[in-house]
Structures are given as C-alpha cells and as structure tokens.
Amino acid sequence: MSLPEESKNHLASAVVRVLVCIVLSLLFAVGVPGNTFVIWTICRQMKQRPRTVVLILNLAIADILVLVTLPIWIYSFAKAWLFGVTACKALAFVVHCNMYASIFLITALSLERFMAVFRPLAVQRRTNKMSTHLVMLLIWLLSIAFGAAILPFQETEETESGLQCTSRSYAGNSQMLACLLLETLVGFLVPFAIIAICYICIAKRISNMTGSPKLRSTRLVTAVVVSFALCWLPYHIFNLIFIASVVMKGSDAEASEALEEIASKGTFIAGSIAFLSSCINPLLYAFAARNFQSSMRFTKLSKLFQQMSPETKQEATNELSAVKGKEETLMSTETI
C-alpha cells in the first residue's frame, strides 16, 4: 500500500531536516575548535602579524561568529523556532555579515597576493599597522552595512514542521529584485570577478617560479577562495532562480511559480551548505602545514602563516629581479 502524496512530502521533509541537523552538528564540532586554534596560534604564537596574517585572523573570527549560532539553528530545524522575530533577524544578520566579511577578506587576500607578486617592494614600503587597521575597519563596516540590509525583511514563518526563521517579507517584486541582486552582486559576483582577474595575472607571472614561497602561499589562498566559492555558489544560484521567477511572473505565471517553489526548497539546503565555508579553512591550513618539520602543531601553523607573509625587502628585490630575468629570457627566445 503506497503512502499518500502528502505523507511522502512530509517524510521527505523530515529526512532533509534530520540530515541538515547532522551536517550542521558536524560543522560545529569541527569548525569551532579549528577556528579557535587558528585565532590562538596567531594571537599567542606570532608577535609580528603582517597584513596577510591579520586577514586570516579576521577570517577566522568571522567564521567562528557564525559557527557559534549553529546550536540555535540546529534546534530550530529539529523542533521549531522558539526565540522570536528579533532573534531571528539578529541571527540572519550574523550569517549575512559573515558572508560579506568572508568574501571581502578573501578578496583582500587575493589583492595582497597580487601585490606580493607584482609589486613586492611596494608592499614592503606601504604596509604598516595603521593601514592594516584601516583596511580591516573598512571591511567590517561594509560587511555590517550590507549585512544589515536583511534586517527589515527577515521574518519567521509557519511551516509543516512548526515556526521557522527562514522567510523574508518584501513590499513588492521590485524590492525583492533589488535585495537579491544586491546580495548576489556584492556578496559573490563582483568580488569573484576581481579575484579571477588577480589570479589570471598571478598565474601568468609565477608559472616559472617553481618552489617559490609566493607560489606555495598563493596555492593555499587559491584553495581558500575555491572552497568559499563552492560552498556559497548553490545559495546564489537559488537567488538567481528567485530573481528569474519574479521576472517571469508577468509572462509565464506557471513557470514562475515552479521556479519559486524550487528556489524556496533549494535555499534551505544551500544555506546549510554555506555554513561549510566557515569550518573548512582550518582544515586547509592544517593540510598545508603538514610538511613543516615540527613536533608541535601550533608551531607548524605559525610557520605556515609566516611563510604566507611578504618577504623582507632584500628577498623581495631578489625575487623581482629573478622574475624579470626569466621574462627577459622568454622574450629573447620568442624573438629568436
């Protein structure tokens, strides 16, 4: 005897919620200790903290701020949202602030790698504590400003599993379009266009720099960028599906409704996947630090972060001369 369609949907929804709770629990168990360890290593083991290291520190802080909210989300998905509309808005703000802070910090890391490869001497001259603090302040102010855009619209919603903090209430379609476009453009597409340009240029420049510290550190930053992109891409894809459903309402109401249904269900799962980006970076650092000769894990990690920092002025001059020499050799070969 087959189950009624409504019972099947309810069962499928329950299975999805259980899986989401299990995944989020694992992310909390891995991410909080991992990011705490990164913060502790940088704050306690590194007296000198160049801008690259400060960016990594702030990225870990942004990640841990969102990870500590996971127990509330897990309880909500398992049972129901019991914490009111104000808490719903506050936690949604924390998650979106993390999204913007992470992408802005990763963009800054990519620009830092670009400068370290193309203008190493300029990095040495212009990087100081004041400029670093100003960059961090600007990143966090922008993140808070863009993250706060969610506050007027985030609401609780009655679902088949009870009250949930998964809904947004817009005054109209134009308002929805503006908010979703802002979120996807500023929180994903524009920063990744900048990042892509940086890495295309870097790849051309360091292709012959085998074994260079810049090459190794650039690979690590690239891994951080790619992992963030993979974790947040599904969320922004469903944002674009929402946008398509709004645009198609006037011309094809049936297709618009189908797209909206797909986006509504998909955003729930994609939002859970996005939390993965907050716990994966410590694993990448640990993997990259495995080759350092040391019996203590925090020493390996501090050595990794030191390697990622800009070299001394003399080292920068030597590497720049080496790169220019290789470029001149290649140009001479092409001329022949």
Side-chain angles (χ1 to χ4, degrees), residues 123-292:
V123 171
Q124 289 296 322
R125 286 195 301 267
R126 298 175 186 175
T127 300
N128 54 58
K129 285 187 177 181
M130 180 60 70
S131 66
T132 299
H133 291 329
L134 287 175
V135 169
M136 294 306 109
L137 179 62
L138 178 61
I139 286 174
W140 281 106
L141 287 177
L142 287 173
S143 303
I144 291 169
F146 285 116
I150 194 70
L151 290 174
F153 313 112
Q154 189 71 30
E155 300 288 346
T156 54
E157 178 187 28
E158 190 66 42
T159 67
E160 60 182 16
S161 61
L163 197 65
Q164 293 293 340
C165 177
T166 55
S167 176
R168 296 186 198 177
S169 178
Y170 297 102
N173 290 338
S174 58
Q175 193 178 70
M176 179 188 286
L177 279 175
C179 291
L180 293 179
L181 280 172
L182 174 71
E183 193 174 277
T184 297
L185 286 173
V186 177
F188 196 80
L189 294 179
V190 172
F192 268 97
I194 296 171
I195 290 168
I197 292 170
C198 286
Y199 278 98
I200 288 170
C201 296
I202 289 171
K204 291 180 180 178
R205 188 66 176 260
I206 67 174
S207 58
N208 295 318
M209 293 164 60
T210 306
S212 166
K214 283 194 178 73
L215 180 58
R216 292 191 293 270
S217 58
T218 298
R219 285 173 177 168
L220 176 56
V221 176
T222 303
V224 172
V225 171
V226 171
S227 65
F228 182 90
L230 292 176
C231 292
W232 278 98
L233 182 60
Y235 177 85
H236 290 290
I237 286 175
F238 286 114
N239 260 5
L240 294 175
I241 293 174
F242 259 125
I243 292 169
S245 73
V246 173
V247 172
M248 293 176 65
K249 274 187 177 178
S251 58
D252 193 338
E254 187 176 340
S256 172
E257 188 176 340
L259 288 175
E260 186 175 353
E261 181 70 17
I262 291 170
S264 297
K265 292 181 178 178
T267 301
F268 176 73
I269 299 172
S272 303
I273 295 172
F275 281 110
L276 177 61
S277 68
S278 295
C279 81
I280 200 167
N281 289 340
L283 300 178
L284 294 175
Y285 303 149
F287 182 78
R290 72 195 188 284
N291 292 327
F292 286 102

Side-chain angles (χ1 to χ4, degrees), residues 14-50:
V15 170
V16 168
R17 282 190 289 111
V18 169
L19 289 175
V20 166
C21 290
I22 292 172
V23 170
L24 293 183
S25 298
L26 291 173
L27 296 184
F28 179 82
V30 173
V32 171
N35 283 290
T36 301
F37 185 61
V38 170
I39 294 169
W40 182 85
T41 299
I42 292 174
C43 293
R44 294 299 299 272
Q45 301 299 320
M46 300 188 69
K47 294 181 180 179
Q48 298 295 324
R49 299 178 200 136

Side-chain angles (χ1 to χ4, degrees), residues 73-107:
W73 293 111
I74 292 167
Y75 181 86
S76 170
F77 295 150
K79 301 289 185 181
W81 185 265
L82 305 176
F83 312 101
V85 176
T86 302
C88 174
K89 289 178 180 290
L91 263 67
F93 163 74
V94 170
V95 172
H96 282 77
C97 185
N98 163 265
M99 177 188 75
Y100 288 113
S102 295
I103 188 59
F104 294 158
L105 288 165
I106 288 171
T107 304

